[in-house]
Amino acid sequence: MKPINDGHVAESGLAVVEVAAADDETAFAVQELLATRWAIAPADRTTHEPGEPGVRLRCYLDLKQQPEA
């Protein structure tokens, strides 16, 4: 994965969440769960590092905003 950009955590209330899961379905389920509580910039795909188990997903949260309905 690319390094986290300073802008993604530039102020209080912004967070980067990295999910490690066995499969895409699980990773996206976690992302959906986060989206029910906070505004997020969702990931549209997971990544897999050769030699490492499972998949990774990174999404960006803004804890100051409500999720879109």
Side-chain angles (χ1 to χ4, degrees):
M1 291 193 146
K2 294 180 181 178
I4 296 170
N5 181 308
D6 289 341
H8 295 136
V9 292
E11 58 187 75
S12 179
L14 300 179
V16 179
V17 176
E18 292 186 351
V19 176
D23 54 39
D24 288 359
E25 183 177 289
T26 304
F28 286 117
V30 171
Q31 178 175 260
E32 279 187 44
L33 183 64
L34 293 169
T36 64
R37 177 129 189 205
W38 298 291
I40 70 168
D44 58 357
R45 64 183 178 87
T46 61
T47 60
H48 172 74
E49 295 294 327
E52 291 188 16
V55 297
R56 305 279 189 271
L57 175 143
R58 182 185 288 174
C59 60
Y60 304 91
L61 276 65
D62 186 340
L63 304 177
K64 300 174 292 180
Q65 293 185 32
Q66 296 295 316
E68 292 183 12

Short mmCIF file of all heavy atoms in Angstrom, two decimals:
data_model
loop_
_atom_site.label_atom_id
_atom_site.label_comp_id
_atom_site.label_asym_id
_atom_site.label_seq_id
_atom_site.Cartn_x
_atom_site.Cartn_y
_atom_site.Cartn_z
N MET A 1 0.83 -1.18 0.00
CA MET A 1 0.00 0.00 0.00
C MET A 1 0.88 1.24 0.00
O MET A 1 1.98 1.23 0.53
CB MET A 1 -0.90 0.02 1.22
CG MET A 1 -1.97 -1.01 1.25
SD MET A 1 -3.17 -0.64 2.54
CE MET A 1 -4.60 -1.25 1.72
N LYS A 2 0.32 2.29 -0.54
CA LYS A 2 1.04 3.56 -0.55
C LYS A 2 1.13 4.11 0.87
O LYS A 2 0.27 3.83 1.71
CB LYS A 2 0.31 4.57 -1.43
CG LYS A 2 0.28 4.20 -2.89
CD LYS A 2 -0.47 5.25 -3.69
CE LYS A 2 -0.52 4.87 -5.16
NZ LYS A 2 -1.27 5.85 -5.95
N PRO A 3 2.15 4.95 1.14
CA PRO A 3 2.24 5.58 2.46
C PRO A 3 1.03 6.49 2.73
O PRO A 3 0.41 7.01 1.80
CB PRO A 3 3.52 6.41 2.38
CG PRO A 3 4.29 5.87 1.23
CD PRO A 3 3.28 5.29 0.29
N ILE A 4 0.72 6.67 3.99
CA ILE A 4 -0.37 7.57 4.38
C ILE A 4 0.09 9.01 4.17
O ILE A 4 1.17 9.39 4.59
CB ILE A 4 -0.78 7.32 5.84
CG1 ILE A 4 -1.34 5.90 5.97
CG2 ILE A 4 -1.79 8.36 6.32
CD1 ILE A 4 -1.56 5.45 7.39
N ASN A 5 -0.75 9.80 3.52
CA ASN A 5 -0.45 11.19 3.22
C ASN A 5 -0.76 12.06 4.44
O ASN A 5 -1.76 11.83 5.13
CB ASN A 5 -1.33 11.60 2.03
CG ASN A 5 -1.13 13.01 1.58
OD1 ASN A 5 -1.19 13.94 2.36
ND2 ASN A 5 -0.91 13.16 0.29
N ASP A 6 0.08 13.08 4.71
CA ASP A 6 -0.15 13.99 5.83
C ASP A 6 -1.55 14.59 5.81
O ASP A 6 -2.16 14.80 6.85
CB ASP A 6 0.88 15.12 5.84
CG ASP A 6 2.27 14.66 6.22
OD1 ASP A 6 2.40 13.58 6.82
OD2 ASP A 6 3.23 15.40 5.92
N GLY A 7 -2.07 14.87 4.63
CA GLY A 7 -3.40 15.47 4.51
C GLY A 7 -4.51 14.57 5.03
O GLY A 7 -5.56 15.05 5.44
N HIS A 8 -4.29 13.27 5.01
CA HIS A 8 -5.32 12.34 5.47
C HIS A 8 -5.51 12.38 6.98
O HIS A 8 -6.54 11.93 7.48
CB HIS A 8 -4.98 10.91 5.05
CG HIS A 8 -4.98 10.72 3.58
ND1 HIS A 8 -4.00 10.02 2.92
CD2 HIS A 8 -5.84 11.14 2.62
CE1 HIS A 8 -4.27 10.02 1.63
NE2 HIS A 8 -5.38 10.70 1.42
N VAL A 9 -4.53 12.89 7.70
CA VAL A 9 -4.61 12.97 9.17
C VAL A 9 -4.20 14.36 9.65
O VAL A 9 -3.65 14.52 10.72
CB VAL A 9 -3.76 11.87 9.85
CG1 VAL A 9 -4.35 10.50 9.58
CG2 VAL A 9 -2.32 11.91 9.38
N ALA A 10 -4.50 15.38 8.84
CA ALA A 10 -4.02 16.73 9.10
C ALA A 10 -4.70 17.41 10.29
O ALA A 10 -4.18 18.38 10.81
CB ALA A 10 -4.21 17.59 7.85
N GLU A 11 -5.85 16.92 10.70
CA GLU A 11 -6.55 17.57 11.80
C GLU A 11 -7.29 16.54 12.63
O GLU A 11 -7.51 15.40 12.19
CB GLU A 11 -7.51 18.64 11.28
CG GLU A 11 -8.54 18.12 10.31
CD GLU A 11 -9.35 19.22 9.68
OE1 GLU A 11 -8.85 19.92 8.80
OE2 GLU A 11 -10.52 19.37 10.10
N SER A 12 -7.68 16.94 13.81
CA SER A 12 -8.41 16.06 14.70
C SER A 12 -9.71 15.62 14.04
O SER A 12 -10.39 16.41 13.39
CB SER A 12 -8.72 16.82 16.00
OG SER A 12 -9.44 16.02 16.88
N GLY A 13 -10.04 14.36 14.17
CA GLY A 13 -11.27 13.84 13.61
C GLY A 13 -11.08 13.10 12.29
O GLY A 13 -12.00 12.44 11.82
N LEU A 14 -9.90 13.20 11.68
CA LEU A 14 -9.61 12.47 10.45
C LEU A 14 -8.81 11.22 10.81
O LEU A 14 -7.92 11.27 11.66
CB LEU A 14 -8.81 13.33 9.47
CG LEU A 14 -9.49 14.62 9.01
CD1 LEU A 14 -8.57 15.37 8.05
CD2 LEU A 14 -10.83 14.33 8.35
N ALA A 15 -9.11 10.11 10.15
CA ALA A 15 -8.42 8.87 10.45
C ALA A 15 -8.27 8.02 9.19
O ALA A 15 -9.08 8.11 8.27
CB ALA A 15 -9.19 8.08 11.51
N VAL A 16 -7.24 7.22 9.18
CA VAL A 16 -7.03 6.22 8.14
C VAL A 16 -7.19 4.86 8.80
O VAL A 16 -6.59 4.59 9.83
CB VAL A 16 -5.61 6.34 7.54
CG1 VAL A 16 -5.39 5.28 6.48
CG2 VAL A 16 -5.38 7.74 6.97
N VAL A 17 -8.03 4.02 8.20
CA VAL A 17 -8.28 2.69 8.74
C VAL A 17 -7.79 1.67 7.72
O VAL A 17 -8.21 1.70 6.56
CB VAL A 17 -9.78 2.47 9.04
CG1 VAL A 17 -10.03 1.04 9.50
CG2 VAL A 17 -10.26 3.48 10.06
N GLU A 18 -6.92 0.80 8.16
CA GLU A 18 -6.47 -0.30 7.32
C GLU A 18 -7.05 -1.59 7.87
O GLU A 18 -6.90 -1.89 9.06
CB GLU A 18 -4.95 -0.36 7.27
CG GLU A 18 -4.36 0.81 6.54
CD GLU A 18 -2.86 0.72 6.35
OE1 GLU A 18 -2.21 -0.17 6.92
OE2 GLU A 18 -2.35 1.56 5.61
N VAL A 19 -7.72 -2.33 7.00
CA VAL A 19 -8.37 -3.57 7.38
C VAL A 19 -7.58 -4.73 6.78
O VAL A 19 -7.27 -4.71 5.58
CB VAL A 19 -9.82 -3.61 6.85
CG1 VAL A 19 -10.49 -4.94 7.15
CG2 VAL A 19 -10.62 -2.45 7.41
N ALA A 20 -7.26 -5.71 7.59
CA ALA A 20 -6.68 -6.96 7.11
C ALA A 20 -7.75 -8.03 7.30
O ALA A 20 -8.32 -8.15 8.38
CB ALA A 20 -5.43 -7.31 7.90
N ALA A 21 -8.06 -8.77 6.24
CA ALA A 21 -9.12 -9.76 6.31
C ALA A 21 -8.77 -10.97 5.46
O ALA A 21 -7.89 -10.90 4.59
CB ALA A 21 -10.44 -9.15 5.82
N ALA A 22 -9.48 -12.05 5.69
CA ALA A 22 -9.23 -13.29 4.95
C ALA A 22 -9.60 -13.16 3.48
O ALA A 22 -8.98 -13.78 2.62
CB ALA A 22 -10.00 -14.44 5.59
N ASP A 23 -10.63 -12.33 3.19
CA ASP A 23 -11.11 -12.24 1.81
C ASP A 23 -11.75 -10.89 1.56
O ASP A 23 -12.00 -10.11 2.49
CB ASP A 23 -12.10 -13.38 1.50
CG ASP A 23 -13.24 -13.44 2.50
OD1 ASP A 23 -13.75 -12.37 2.92
OD2 ASP A 23 -13.63 -14.55 2.89
N ASP A 24 -12.03 -10.61 0.28
CA ASP A 24 -12.64 -9.33 -0.11
C ASP A 24 -13.98 -9.11 0.58
O ASP A 24 -14.27 -8.01 1.05
CB ASP A 24 -12.87 -9.29 -1.63
CG ASP A 24 -11.60 -9.12 -2.43
OD1 ASP A 24 -10.51 -9.02 -1.84
OD2 ASP A 24 -11.70 -9.11 -3.67
N GLU A 25 -14.81 -10.15 0.63
CA GLU A 25 -16.15 -10.02 1.21
C GLU A 25 -16.07 -9.52 2.65
O GLU A 25 -16.82 -8.62 3.06
CB GLU A 25 -16.87 -11.36 1.14
CG GLU A 25 -18.28 -11.32 1.66
CD GLU A 25 -18.97 -12.66 1.51
OE1 GLU A 25 -19.27 -13.04 0.37
OE2 GLU A 25 -19.19 -13.31 2.55
N THR A 26 -15.16 -10.07 3.43
CA THR A 26 -15.01 -9.66 4.83
C THR A 26 -14.49 -8.23 4.92
O THR A 26 -15.00 -7.43 5.71
CB THR A 26 -14.07 -10.62 5.57
OG1 THR A 26 -14.58 -11.95 5.45
CG2 THR A 26 -13.94 -10.24 7.03
N ALA A 27 -13.50 -7.89 4.12
CA ALA A 27 -12.93 -6.54 4.15
C ALA A 27 -13.99 -5.49 3.81
O ALA A 27 -14.10 -4.45 4.48
CB ALA A 27 -11.75 -6.44 3.19
N PHE A 28 -14.78 -5.75 2.78
CA PHE A 28 -15.82 -4.79 2.39
C PHE A 28 -16.95 -4.73 3.42
O PHE A 28 -17.57 -3.68 3.61
CB PHE A 28 -16.34 -5.08 0.99
CG PHE A 28 -15.37 -4.68 -0.09
CD1 PHE A 28 -14.82 -5.63 -0.93
CD2 PHE A 28 -14.99 -3.36 -0.25
CE1 PHE A 28 -13.91 -5.27 -1.91
CE2 PHE A 28 -14.09 -2.98 -1.24
CZ PHE A 28 -13.55 -3.95 -2.07
N ALA A 29 -17.23 -5.83 4.11
CA ALA A 29 -18.23 -5.82 5.17
C ALA A 29 -17.79 -4.91 6.31
O ALA A 29 -18.60 -4.17 6.88
CB ALA A 29 -18.49 -7.24 5.67
N VAL A 30 -16.52 -4.95 6.66
CA VAL A 30 -16.01 -4.05 7.70
C VAL A 30 -16.13 -2.60 7.25
O VAL A 30 -16.56 -1.73 8.00
CB VAL A 30 -14.54 -4.40 8.05
CG1 VAL A 30 -13.93 -3.35 8.96
CG2 VAL A 30 -14.46 -5.78 8.69
N GLN A 31 -15.78 -2.33 5.99
CA GLN A 31 -15.90 -0.97 5.46
C GLN A 31 -17.35 -0.50 5.52
O GLN A 31 -17.63 0.64 5.91
CB GLN A 31 -15.37 -0.92 4.03
CG GLN A 31 -15.50 0.45 3.39
CD GLN A 31 -14.86 0.49 2.04
OE1 GLN A 31 -13.75 0.97 1.90
NE2 GLN A 31 -15.55 0.01 1.01
N GLU A 32 -18.29 -1.35 5.15
CA GLU A 32 -19.72 -0.98 5.21
C GLU A 32 -20.15 -0.67 6.64
O GLU A 32 -20.93 0.26 6.87
CB GLU A 32 -20.58 -2.11 4.65
CG GLU A 32 -20.65 -2.14 3.15
CD GLU A 32 -21.66 -3.17 2.66
OE1 GLU A 32 -22.77 -3.24 3.23
OE2 GLU A 32 -21.32 -3.90 1.72
N LEU A 33 -19.66 -1.45 7.58
CA LEU A 33 -19.98 -1.22 8.98
C LEU A 33 -19.47 0.16 9.43
O LEU A 33 -20.19 0.91 10.10
CB LEU A 33 -19.37 -2.32 9.84
CG LEU A 33 -19.67 -2.26 11.33
CD1 LEU A 33 -21.16 -2.45 11.58
CD2 LEU A 33 -18.87 -3.33 12.05
N LEU A 34 -18.27 0.51 9.05
CA LEU A 34 -17.72 1.83 9.39
C LEU A 34 -18.56 2.95 8.75
O LEU A 34 -18.81 3.98 9.37
CB LEU A 34 -16.27 1.95 8.92
CG LEU A 34 -15.26 1.06 9.65
CD1 LEU A 34 -13.92 1.08 8.92
CD2 LEU A 34 -15.11 1.48 11.09
N ALA A 35 -19.01 2.72 7.53
CA ALA A 35 -19.78 3.74 6.80
C ALA A 35 -21.15 4.00 7.42
O ALA A 35 -21.75 5.04 7.17
CB ALA A 35 -19.93 3.33 5.34
N THR A 36 -21.65 3.07 8.22
CA THR A 36 -22.94 3.31 8.87
C THR A 36 -22.81 4.30 10.02
O THR A 36 -23.80 4.87 10.46
CB THR A 36 -23.57 2.01 9.42
OG1 THR A 36 -22.73 1.47 10.45
CG2 THR A 36 -23.79 1.00 8.32
N ARG A 37 -21.60 4.50 10.48
CA ARG A 37 -21.39 5.36 11.65
C ARG A 37 -20.70 6.68 11.32
O ARG A 37 -20.96 7.70 11.96
CB ARG A 37 -20.56 4.58 12.67
CG ARG A 37 -20.20 5.35 13.88
CD ARG A 37 -20.54 4.64 15.11
NE ARG A 37 -20.36 5.54 16.24
CZ ARG A 37 -20.13 5.16 17.44
NH1 ARG A 37 -20.05 3.88 17.69
NH2 ARG A 37 -20.00 6.02 18.40
N TRP A 38 -19.78 6.67 10.37
CA TRP A 38 -19.01 7.86 10.03
C TRP A 38 -18.96 8.08 8.53
O TRP A 38 -19.16 7.15 7.75
CB TRP A 38 -17.56 7.71 10.54
CG TRP A 38 -17.45 7.57 12.01
CD1 TRP A 38 -17.69 8.53 12.95
CD2 TRP A 38 -17.08 6.41 12.74
NE1 TRP A 38 -17.49 8.02 14.21
CE2 TRP A 38 -17.10 6.72 14.11
CE3 TRP A 38 -16.71 5.11 12.38
CZ2 TRP A 38 -16.79 5.81 15.11
CZ3 TRP A 38 -16.40 4.21 13.36
CH2 TRP A 38 -16.44 4.56 14.71
N ALA A 39 -18.67 9.31 8.14
CA ALA A 39 -18.46 9.61 6.73
C ALA A 39 -17.11 9.02 6.34
O ALA A 39 -16.12 9.18 7.05
CB ALA A 39 -18.45 11.12 6.52
N ILE A 40 -17.08 8.30 5.21
CA ILE A 40 -15.83 7.70 4.78
C ILE A 40 -15.59 7.96 3.30
O ILE A 40 -16.52 8.22 2.54
CB ILE A 40 -15.78 6.18 5.03
CG1 ILE A 40 -16.74 5.41 4.12
CG2 ILE A 40 -16.04 5.84 6.48
CD1 ILE A 40 -16.51 3.91 4.13
N ALA A 41 -14.33 7.90 2.93
CA ALA A 41 -13.94 7.80 1.52
C ALA A 41 -13.63 6.32 1.32
O ALA A 41 -12.59 5.84 1.77
CB ALA A 41 -12.73 8.67 1.24
N PRO A 42 -14.54 5.58 0.72
CA PRO A 42 -14.40 4.13 0.66
C PRO A 42 -13.37 3.67 -0.37
O PRO A 42 -13.09 4.36 -1.35
CB PRO A 42 -15.79 3.66 0.27
CG PRO A 42 -16.35 4.80 -0.52
CD PRO A 42 -15.78 6.05 0.11
N ALA A 43 -12.85 2.50 -0.13
CA ALA A 43 -11.98 1.84 -1.10
C ALA A 43 -12.86 1.07 -2.08
O ALA A 43 -13.92 0.58 -1.71
CB ALA A 43 -11.04 0.88 -0.38
N ASP A 44 -12.42 0.97 -3.31
CA ASP A 44 -13.19 0.21 -4.29
C ASP A 44 -12.56 -1.14 -4.61
O ASP A 44 -13.12 -1.93 -5.36
CB ASP A 44 -13.41 1.01 -5.57
CG ASP A 44 -12.12 1.45 -6.22
OD1 ASP A 44 -11.03 1.19 -5.67
OD2 ASP A 44 -12.19 2.06 -7.31
N ARG A 45 -11.38 -1.39 -4.01
CA ARG A 45 -10.74 -2.68 -4.21
C ARG A 45 -9.82 -2.98 -3.03
O ARG A 45 -9.44 -2.09 -2.28
CB ARG A 45 -9.95 -2.72 -5.52
CG ARG A 45 -8.78 -1.74 -5.54
CD ARG A 45 -8.07 -1.77 -6.89
NE ARG A 45 -7.00 -0.81 -6.91
CZ ARG A 45 -5.76 -1.04 -6.49
NH1 ARG A 45 -5.43 -2.22 -6.02
NH2 ARG A 45 -4.85 -0.10 -6.54
N THR A 46 -9.48 -4.24 -2.90
CA THR A 46 -8.53 -4.66 -1.87
C THR A 46 -7.18 -4.89 -2.55
O THR A 46 -7.08 -4.92 -3.78
CB THR A 46 -8.97 -5.96 -1.18
OG1 THR A 46 -9.05 -6.99 -2.16
CG2 THR A 46 -10.31 -5.79 -0.48
N THR A 47 -6.15 -5.07 -1.73
CA THR A 47 -4.83 -5.43 -2.26
C THR A 47 -4.38 -6.72 -1.58
O THR A 47 -4.82 -7.05 -0.48
CB THR A 47 -3.79 -4.33 -2.00
OG1 THR A 47 -3.67 -4.11 -0.59
CG2 THR A 47 -4.17 -3.04 -2.69
N HIS A 48 -3.51 -7.42 -2.26
CA HIS A 48 -2.92 -8.64 -1.70
C HIS A 48 -1.42 -8.57 -1.92
O HIS A 48 -0.97 -8.39 -3.05
CB HIS A 48 -3.49 -9.88 -2.36
CG HIS A 48 -2.77 -11.13 -1.95
ND1 HIS A 48 -2.95 -11.71 -0.71
CD2 HIS A 48 -1.86 -11.88 -2.59
CE1 HIS A 48 -2.17 -12.77 -0.62
NE2 HIS A 48 -1.49 -12.90 -1.75
N GLU A 49 -0.67 -8.69 -0.84
CA GLU A 49 0.78 -8.71 -0.92
C GLU A 49 1.23 -10.15 -1.05
O GLU A 49 0.87 -10.99 -0.21
CB GLU A 49 1.40 -8.09 0.34
CG GLU A 49 1.10 -6.61 0.51
CD GLU A 49 1.73 -5.74 -0.56
OE1 GLU A 49 2.84 -6.08 -1.04
OE2 GLU A 49 1.11 -4.73 -0.93
N PRO A 50 1.99 -10.49 -2.10
CA PRO A 50 2.47 -11.86 -2.26
C PRO A 50 3.22 -12.33 -1.01
O PRO A 50 3.99 -11.59 -0.42
CB PRO A 50 3.42 -11.77 -3.46
CG PRO A 50 2.94 -10.57 -4.22
CD PRO A 50 2.44 -9.61 -3.17
N GLY A 51 2.92 -13.54 -0.60
CA GLY A 51 3.57 -14.12 0.56
C GLY A 51 2.92 -13.77 1.88
O GLY A 51 3.30 -14.29 2.93
N GLU A 52 1.92 -12.86 1.87
CA GLU A 52 1.21 -12.50 3.08
C GLU A 52 -0.22 -13.05 3.01
O GLU A 52 -0.80 -13.12 1.92
CB GLU A 52 1.16 -10.98 3.26
CG GLU A 52 2.51 -10.38 3.58
CD GLU A 52 2.42 -8.91 3.94
OE1 GLU A 52 1.31 -8.42 4.25
OE2 GLU A 52 3.47 -8.25 3.92
N PRO A 53 -0.78 -13.43 4.14
CA PRO A 53 -2.13 -13.99 4.11
C PRO A 53 -3.19 -12.91 3.90
O PRO A 53 -3.01 -11.75 4.25
CB PRO A 53 -2.28 -14.60 5.51
CG PRO A 53 -1.36 -13.80 6.37
CD PRO A 53 -0.20 -13.41 5.49
N GLY A 54 -4.30 -13.30 3.30
CA GLY A 54 -5.46 -12.43 3.19
C GLY A 54 -5.29 -11.23 2.29
O GLY A 54 -4.41 -11.17 1.44
N VAL A 55 -6.18 -10.26 2.49
CA VAL A 55 -6.20 -9.03 1.70
C VAL A 55 -6.18 -7.83 2.63
O VAL A 55 -6.44 -7.95 3.83
CB VAL A 55 -7.46 -8.96 0.80
CG1 VAL A 55 -7.47 -10.09 -0.22
CG2 VAL A 55 -8.74 -8.97 1.63
N ARG A 56 -5.88 -6.67 2.07
CA ARG A 56 -5.85 -5.41 2.82
C ARG A 56 -6.77 -4.42 2.13
O ARG A 56 -6.93 -4.43 0.91
CB ARG A 56 -4.44 -4.81 2.88
CG ARG A 56 -3.37 -5.73 3.43
CD ARG A 56 -3.40 -5.73 4.94
NE ARG A 56 -2.29 -6.42 5.52
CZ ARG A 56 -2.26 -7.72 5.80
NH1 ARG A 56 -3.28 -8.46 5.51
NH2 ARG A 56 -1.22 -8.28 6.38
N LEU A 57 -7.36 -3.54 2.93
CA LEU A 57 -8.23 -2.49 2.41
C LEU A 57 -7.97 -1.26 3.26
O LEU A 57 -7.82 -1.35 4.47
CB LEU A 57 -9.69 -2.93 2.54
CG LEU A 57 -10.77 -1.92 2.16
CD1 LEU A 57 -11.91 -2.66 1.48
CD2 LEU A 57 -11.28 -1.19 3.36
N ARG A 58 -7.89 -0.10 2.64
CA ARG A 58 -7.68 1.16 3.36
C ARG A 58 -8.80 2.12 3.02
O ARG A 58 -9.11 2.35 1.86
CB ARG A 58 -6.34 1.78 2.98
CG ARG A 58 -6.06 3.07 3.74
CD ARG A 58 -4.79 3.74 3.27
NE ARG A 58 -3.62 2.98 3.72
CZ ARG A 58 -2.38 3.28 3.35
NH1 ARG A 58 -2.15 4.26 2.50
NH2 ARG A 58 -1.37 2.57 3.81
N CYS A 59 -9.43 2.68 4.05
CA CYS A 59 -10.43 3.72 3.84
C CYS A 59 -10.14 4.89 4.78
O CYS A 59 -9.38 4.76 5.73
CB CYS A 59 -11.85 3.19 4.01
SG CYS A 59 -12.22 2.51 5.63
N TYR A 60 -10.73 6.01 4.46
CA TYR A 60 -10.46 7.25 5.18
C TYR A 60 -11.73 7.73 5.85
O TYR A 60 -12.77 7.82 5.22
CB TYR A 60 -9.93 8.31 4.20
CG TYR A 60 -8.72 7.81 3.45
CD1 TYR A 60 -8.84 7.14 2.24
CD2 TYR A 60 -7.45 7.97 4.00
CE1 TYR A 60 -7.73 6.66 1.58
CE2 TYR A 60 -6.33 7.49 3.34
CZ TYR A 60 -6.47 6.83 2.13
OH TYR A 60 -5.37 6.34 1.49
N LEU A 61 -11.64 8.02 7.15
CA LEU A 61 -12.80 8.42 7.93
C LEU A 61 -12.72 9.89 8.31
O LEU A 61 -11.64 10.41 8.57
CB LEU A 61 -12.87 7.63 9.24
CG LEU A 61 -13.50 6.25 9.23
CD1 LEU A 61 -12.71 5.30 8.41
CD2 LEU A 61 -13.67 5.76 10.62
N ASP A 62 -13.88 10.51 8.35
CA ASP A 62 -14.03 11.86 8.89
C ASP A 62 -15.05 11.75 10.02
O ASP A 62 -16.25 11.66 9.78
CB ASP A 62 -14.50 12.84 7.83
CG ASP A 62 -14.54 14.27 8.31
OD1 ASP A 62 -14.56 14.48 9.55
OD2 ASP A 62 -14.55 15.18 7.47
N LEU A 63 -14.55 11.69 11.24
CA LEU A 63 -15.41 11.48 12.40
C LEU A 63 -16.30 12.68 12.70
O LEU A 63 -17.23 12.56 13.49
CB LEU A 63 -14.55 11.15 13.62
CG LEU A 63 -13.61 9.96 13.46
CD1 LEU A 63 -12.77 9.77 14.72
CD2 LEU A 63 -14.37 8.70 13.13
N LYS A 64 -16.03 13.82 12.08
CA LYS A 64 -16.81 15.04 12.33
C LYS A 64 -18.07 15.10 11.47
O LYS A 64 -18.94 15.90 11.74
CB LYS A 64 -15.95 16.27 12.04
CG LYS A 64 -14.69 16.34 12.90
CD LYS A 64 -13.81 17.48 12.48
CE LYS A 64 -13.27 17.13 11.11
NZ LYS A 64 -12.38 18.08 10.53
N GLN A 65 -18.15 14.26 10.44
CA GLN A 65 -19.30 14.30 9.55
C GLN A 65 -20.15 13.05 9.72
O GLN A 65 -19.66 11.98 10.02
CB GLN A 65 -18.83 14.34 8.09
CG GLN A 65 -18.12 15.63 7.73
CD GLN A 65 -17.79 15.64 6.23
OE1 GLN A 65 -18.53 15.08 5.41
NE2 GLN A 65 -16.71 16.28 5.88
N GLN A 66 -21.44 13.22 9.51
CA GLN A 66 -22.37 12.11 9.55
C GLN A 66 -22.29 11.36 8.21
O GLN A 66 -22.01 11.98 7.19
CB GLN A 66 -23.80 12.62 9.77
CG GLN A 66 -24.00 13.29 11.10
CD GLN A 66 -23.82 12.31 12.25
OE1 GLN A 66 -24.31 11.19 12.22
NE2 GLN A 66 -23.08 12.73 13.27
N PRO A 67 -22.54 10.07 8.20
CA PRO A 67 -22.56 9.34 6.93
C PRO A 67 -23.69 9.84 6.04
O PRO A 67 -24.70 10.32 6.54
CB PRO A 67 -22.78 7.90 7.33
CG PRO A 67 -23.31 7.94 8.72
CD PRO A 67 -22.85 9.23 9.34
N GLU A 68 -23.48 9.70 4.73
CA GLU A 68 -24.53 10.08 3.78
C GLU A 68 -25.66 9.07 3.87
O GLU A 68 -25.44 7.87 4.02
CB GLU A 68 -23.96 10.12 2.36
CG GLU A 68 -22.97 11.24 2.17
CD GLU A 68 -22.46 11.31 0.74
OE1 GLU A 68 -23.04 10.65 -0.15
OE2 GLU A 68 -21.50 12.03 0.52
N ALA A 69 -26.86 9.55 3.77
CA ALA A 69 -28.03 8.65 3.86
C ALA A 69 -28.28 7.93 2.58
O ALA A 69 -27.87 8.21 1.56
CB ALA A 69 -29.26 9.48 4.24
#
